[in-house]
Each structure stands twice: as C-alpha cells, then as structure tokens.
Amino acid sequence: MIQKMRKLRMVWVCVTAMMITAACSNKEIENDTLIDLSEIQFTMQEEKFEPEENLTRAISAEPQSVDLGDGLTAEVSLTEDVQEEAPQTRATISDGKYFIFAINEADYTESPHMTGTFKNGKFTRDAASPRLMLNPGTYTFVCGTVDGIPSPSAGSFFTYGETNTMVGVTKHKVVGSGTTNVAFVLKHETARLRFKVLAYTPEIQNATIKLTSDAVQPFVNYYNVNLESSTSNAWGTIDTQPKKVAKTPSGNDAKFVQANVFMTEYEYLLPDVQGNDLKLNFVSGTAYGNVNLAGKTLDLNVLVQTVRNKSYTIQVKLKPVIYVFNDGTCGALAEKGTRTPVGVVVTEKTATTDGLAVALKDDHANSGGGTGVQWYNDYYHEEEDNATMSTDPTVNINDLDGYHWTYEASGSKDGTTIKANKANYIAFQKAVSYNPGVAINFGGGKRGKWFLPSFGQWILMMKTLAKVTVLPTTITIQGNYGGMVAIPDRQRLQKSFTDAGGTALDNYWYWSSSEYSKKHATVLQLDNLSDDKFAITADEKGQPCNVRAFIHF
C-alpha cells in the first residue's frame, strides 16, 4: 500500500513538473513574439507652414499709424510671410524632444511611451525611457512634441500653444524582424507669428517684446487621435514670454530701401485667436539713440484670426521725424553723426519711387522784414502757364509732381517753357536756387534738385508732419476766408524744422506750383496757423506769397 502511494506521489510530481514546464515554455513562446522597435529607423517629416494669403484681402492696404509718444510713431501692417519651400515638399523634422507610442487596433491597448531626441536626422531614445516592445499586429503609431503636449495618451490628449506643437499619426503593421521603418508626417497644431521691425537706425538696443490679450482666447486644445484634429477645450488670457528683437539689422527692406530690418523669433498661438484682441508690448529696449521703447504697446487689428499651420509676419515701422541728410541718406537727428540735415522727409524712398523732403527754411518769407515773392512777375498776368489747371480741390490735392511743373517743358502750356530757367517765374526761381548751407551730394533723375512743390505735395507734408487726416473740400479765392480744416499737431510740424536748426512755417500763405486758373495759382493758406487750421486758397499770380522748396532723394 505504501509502495502504491509512493508511486502515485511520483506520478503527481511528474505531472506537476510537466505542467510547470509547459507553462514556462508557453510564457517563453509569448515573450519570443514581442518585437523591439526601439532601435529601428523612425522617419519624421514636418508639415510646412504656409503663409496666410487670404488675410491681405480682408484688411485695408493702408497701414495703421499709432502715436507711441516720445516723438515716435509706428505703422503696423500685415506683410507677406516667406514661403519656406515649394508646397509639395516636406521638411526634415525640427531638432527637439519627441514621444512615440502605439495603439493596438485589435484591443485598443496602449504601449508604453518612448521618449527621445531627434537630431541631425536620427531619433535617439532617452536612456530612462521604456523600450517600444510590441506583439505582431496592426497599430496606430502616434508621435508628437514633448513641449506643448504634457500628457499624451491613447484616443485624445491636450495640446498647448506658445511652442511649435506637432502631432503625427500613422498606421503600420508590425510583422517581426521585417519591421524596419515607421514614417511620420508631423502636423502643426499652432499658427506662428513674428514681427518685422523697420527703422531708420543702425541698431535697436536690448529690445524685447511679448504678446498679451485683454479677453480670453483659446488656451488649450483637445486632440482626437482617430480624427487627427483638434478642438478648443479651455480659454485664458494670453501673456507670452518675452522674445528678443534683433540688435543688428538683417539688411535693408526690399520696399523701403533705406530702412533697416530687425526680426523677432516666431511666437506660436493656437488656432482661432482673435487678432483684434492681441497687443504687441515692448518690454524693454531703446532705438534712435535714446528713445525708450519699454511700455509702448500696439493693437494688432491687422491680424484677423489665427489659422492652424498658417504663418504670419506683422511689420512694425518705428519712425521719429526723419531727416534727409546732405549725402542722400535718412535718419534721426540723434544719429546724424557727421552728416548735415537738409530737409524733413515727407515720403520715404522706396524701391520704385524717390523720397520727398521739404526744406528746413523758407527761401523767401512775407513776414519778418521780407516782402514775399510773386508766382509770376506781372501783377496783371492772366495766362494759362501749366499744361493743365483745375479749380477742383480734389484735383489739386492729387497733384503730386511739382518737379514736373518746375523743370519739364511738358509741364508748360506751350510745351517749351521750363519755368526753372525763366526769370519771370519768380517763385519757381526762388525754389530752385534755395541754398541749404551745404553741398547736396546726391542726384540722378529728379533727385537732388530743389523745386516749387505742387499742392498735393504740401498736403503730403501736412499728413506726415502735422498728422492731418481731414482734408479741405473747397478752394477759397484770394482774401475770402473759409474751408478751414484742423491741424492736429502744429507743435510737431513746427518742431520738425526748428529742432534741426531750421525755421518754423510762417503764419502766412505758401505758393504751390499747381495752377487754379489763368489768373490764380493754388496756395497753402497758413495765416490761421496759430489757431491750428489751414485751407486751400487760390491767389493771384502777381501777389506776394512765401516760398519753401521741396527736393527728391
């Protein structure tokens, strides 16, 4: 009996041992099927940011002008952002830290998250990161930036702005040792925005900027892996980290060819941020020698609404009163160096048009011991002198070529007279002979020659230097006062001249080269200047008025 029981025990032990061996064998077989994807090649390409093309049609072409104080104005406009590459191409992924995990499509289980860096085209797993071990099967692989996605998970997760947040989703079949590559195209979950600062200065010192909003804006998005898209999830006010404005320029602007370009880094914002609530804040910095930028703010109404994967550049032109110097360059008085100012800039020089400046002093004034000069030296003169004339104020305001009336034969009715060369045209003679006290060292084409300005060029001066926005709608005849409009900033207008050693505009009438009728030429009426008003007046050509010359550069 005892022998029989011993035999039964031996059989049970053998069976148990066989069961344990079988179980271990099955476990080994299961582990043998896991495939280590940690060291395979991960191909990552980045979706290209696209410049927003539709916004330029949605806003006014005119830049928004803002008075920043301290004699500084800013012109804000949305400008074309640079297309990095042809749209059909992809970029190599940006260097940085990424996560990768996989979702088993059979049971929706989620693998451990592998993290690592992608640099110089190679993904390297972090030493402390779990390995990506998967059974054969079909998986949804998810890859994204660690910055901007703090807690990725299967199905859905939160994404944040302020960083170049990207997510890529791809399906891939894991088939054992043949699995050698998983390819991602990472898509941007944000828009990006940078600033292009234009200034007539060689350096902007220690400048930093940030974005803020008054109202709540999209702050957190909810990303759905299956849909591969995001929706807004939480809102908050925007207050970004300060970013530097380049100290030295990247070059001259393509349009405003004498202005230097200072770029900022990109800011990243979630989609659907409303531009009319955004503000650009200068946190620190100085420009134009000693103008403090800190605390100056600009509304960004030129940006309508951010769109995912769109790239925006907002141009901010910072300008004090700008002067043209004797060498044809432009800048602020504080940075003139050895140059001598000869005029106040009325319109900036561009790649296709000359700049325009007004002389610092009158050539001949009626007050202060002067007698004024006639447009034409015959009190009874009544002939059509210019090729065209008009009693319409709009035509006079749009007349922008005093050089034409002064120097070109085609500007005269007979097609042969050049008023700059004829002694009878006294106002023209005084303008062309203006002496700024230093030699003019620029020329070519219309540049470098003083001339009697057209009426429209006087208006340009009033807009630029006196901030005039409402224009006269009538022309009064000699001695008949009316049609006065406001001068918003007479002090700025006059200081533009006196700060550079010039003389303020006289409280009187100034000739233009525009012709009103056979008997009259158009004048800028400033004898109500002390009351901050001006008008368009037509004066008889034989009457004395002041002359102040203009020049192209």
Side-chain angles (χ1 to χ4, degrees):
M1 185 68 164
I2 292 173
Q3 266 186 332
K4 187 173 181 181
M5 290 187 66
R6 282 177 179 170
K7 286 181 180 179
L8 286 172
R9 283 195 193 105
M10 289 178 66
V11 170
W12 174 250
V13 168
C14 289
V15 170
T16 303
M18 289 174 65
M19 290 174 66
I20 292 171
T21 300
C24 291
S25 177
N26 288 339
K27 185 68 175 176
E28 287 172 3
I29 292 170
E30 182 180 335
N31 286 338
D32 283 345
T33 64
L34 286 175
I35 301 161
D36 187 356
L37 300 185
S38 306
E39 306 302 328
I40 69 167
Q41 178 67 40
F42 288 99
T43 302
M44 299 182 188
Q45 292 181 313
E46 181 177 340
E47 177 186 33
K48 292 307 261 181
F49 275 107
E50 300 174 354
E52 178 52 69
E53 298 172 353
N54 294 328
L55 277 183
T56 55
R57 296 193 291 269
I59 63 173
S60 169
E62 287 291 321
Q64 299 175 2
S65 184
V66 182
D67 187 347
L68 296 178
D70 298 322
L72 196 66
T73 59
E75 292 179 1
V76 184
S77 58
L78 186 66
T79 189
E80 185 178 359
D81 197 76
V82 177
Q83 176 72 57
E84 296 167 291
E85 285 185 16
Q88 68 271 18
T89 63
R90 301 282 183 187
T92 303
I93 198 72
S94 300
D95 290 351
K97 198 154 191 171
Y98 296 83
F99 64 80
I100 298 174
F101 67 89
I103 304 167
N104 192 323
E105 293 202 350
D107 56 12
Y108 300 105
T109 55
E110 180 181 345
S111 76
H113 292 198
M114 181 173 66
T115 60
T117 56
F118 200 89
K119 188 172 184 178
N120 299 327
K122 182 180 179 182
F123 180 81
T124 303
R125 180 177 62 89
D126 293 338
S129 170
R131 304 180 78 85
L132 196 60
M133 307 287 291
L134 301 176
N135 286 307
T138 301
Y139 290 82
T140 297
F141 285 82
V142 182
C143 177
T145 54
V146 172
D147 287 341
I149 307 176
S151 303
S153 61
S156 59
F157 46 80
F158 297 122
T159 61
Y160 292 77
E162 286 203 50
T163 64
N164 185 14
T165 306
M166 294 185 287
V167 180
V169 177
T170 185
K171 294 187 185 299
H172 197 86
K173 191 170 185 179
V174 176
V175 292
S177 59
T179 302
T180 57
N181 178 64
V182 176
F184 294 100
V185 174
L186 273 74
K187 296 183 178 180
H188 300 113
E189 293 304 307
T190 56
R192 69 179 186 180
L193 167 65
R194 65 178 176 178
F195 294 90
K196 174 185 177 182
V197 180
L198 299 189
Y200 291 88
T201 184
E203 286 187 344
I204 296 180
Q205 296 283 347
N206 305 314
T208 55
I209 55 104
K210 69 174 183 177
L211 293 176
T212 59
S213 70
D214 293 328
V216 294
Q217 298 288 347
F219 183 70
V220 181
N221 274 3
Y222 193 67
Y223 186 87
N224 186 301
V225 173
N226 288 330
L227 298 177
E228 296 186 34
S229 63
S230 299
T231 54
S232 296
N233 181 262
W235 291 261
T237 56
I238 291 173
D239 190 352
T240 65
Q241 292 297 311
K243 283 186 167 55
K244 291 182 179 180
V245 179
K247 177 182 178 181
T248 55
S250 57
N252 294 111
D253 184 56
K255 179 179 179 181
F256 299 101
V257 293
Q258 291 193 349
N260 284 324
V261 176
F262 303 85
M263 300 300 299
T264 70
E265 300 173 16
Y266 279 105
E267 297 275 6
Y268 294 89
L269 300 170
L270 288 175
D272 301 325
V273 169
Q274 303 302 306
N276 60 5
D277 183 50
L278 285 179
K279 285 183 170 58
L280 170 64
N281 303 264
F282 281 92
V283 180
S284 62
T286 58
Y288 294 109
N290 56 3
V291 178
N292 186 14
L293 300 177
K296 300 187 185 304
T297 63
L298 294 166
D299 292 332
L300 300 181
N301 296 325
V302 294
L303 180 66
V304 179
Q305 178 176 291
T306 57
V307 177
R308 189 200 72 80
N309 196 48
K310 297 298 183 181
S311 188
Y312 308 94
T313 296
I314 293 180
Q315 179 173 289
V316 178
K317 190 195 297 180
L318 296 177
K319 294 195 306 179
V321 174
I322 299 295
Y323 295 86
V324 62
F325 298 104
N326 59 306
D327 61 356
T329 60
C330 293
L333 280 179
E335 297 174 324
K336 67 179 182 178
T338 59
R339 301 172 296 175
T340 300
V342 295
V344 189
V345 171
V346 172
T347 56
E348 298 162 75
K349 184 180 181 67
T350 73
T352 57
T353 60
D354 291 333
L356 179 67
V358 54
L360 297 177
K361 299 179 181 180
D362 286 346
D363 183 78
H364 208 79
N366 190 58
S367 62
T371 59
V373 297
Q374 299 166 304
W375 199 86
Y376 189 88
N377 72 343
D378 180 359
Y379 182 79
Y380 300 101
H381 182 72
E382 193 169 347
E383 293 182 17
E384 190 171 349
D385 295 285
N386 287 354
T388 60
M389 61 183 183
S390 178
T391 60
D392 187 336
T394 301
V395 173
N396 279 271
I397 287 170
N398 291 325
D399 180 0
L400 301 174
D401 200 354
Y403 183 96
H404 174 60
W405 307 127
T406 303
Y407 284 105
E408 295 175 350
S410 60
S412 294
K413 179 65 175 178
D414 61 14
T416 60
T417 298
I418 296 176
K419 301 182 190 73
N421 300 335
K422 296 294 184 180
N424 287 345
Y425 293 95
I426 302 177
F428 293 85
Q429 288 282 298
K430 289 294 182 182
V432 300
S433 61
Y434 172 71
N435 183 2
V438 65
I440 299 295
N441 296 322
F442 57 90
K446 295 182 177 182
R447 297 180 293 277
K449 297 179 181 179
W450 297 100
F451 60 88
L452 190 65
S454 64
F455 190 79
Q457 289 169 322
W458 276 119
I459 291 295
L460 290 177
M461 184 204 72
M462 297 299 286
K463 287 181 176 180
T464 301
L465 302 184
K467 301 180 181 178
V468 167
T469 55
V470 178
L471 302 180
T473 57
T474 60
I475 300 178
T476 58
I477 302 298
Q478 174 189 11
N480 297 321
Y481 288 85
M484 292 283 178
V485 295
I487 299 174
D489 200 339
R490 173 168 54 96
Q491 182 181 16
R492 185 173 188 268
L493 171 67
Q494 300 293 45
K495 277 177 60 64
S496 299
F497 302 109
T498 58
D499 283 355
T503 57
L505 288 168
D506 195 27
N507 207 48
Y508 200 64
W509 296 8
Y510 280 85
W511 283 123
S512 82
S513 53
S514 302
E515 192 172 25
Y516 176 85
S517 67
K518 290 182 178 181
K519 191 173 183 179
H520 300 87
T522 312
V523 300
L524 178 70
Q525 183 181 338
L526 292 179
D527 51 359
N528 283 77
L529 187 60
S530 58
D531 294 328
D532 296 323
K533 294 179 181 179
F534 81 101
I536 311 177
T537 298
D539 201 5
E540 292 179 356
K541 296 172 185 177
Q543 292 290 342
C545 293
N546 294 1
V547 171
R548 187 167 293 216
F550 281 48
I551 195 169
H552 287 298
F553 62 92

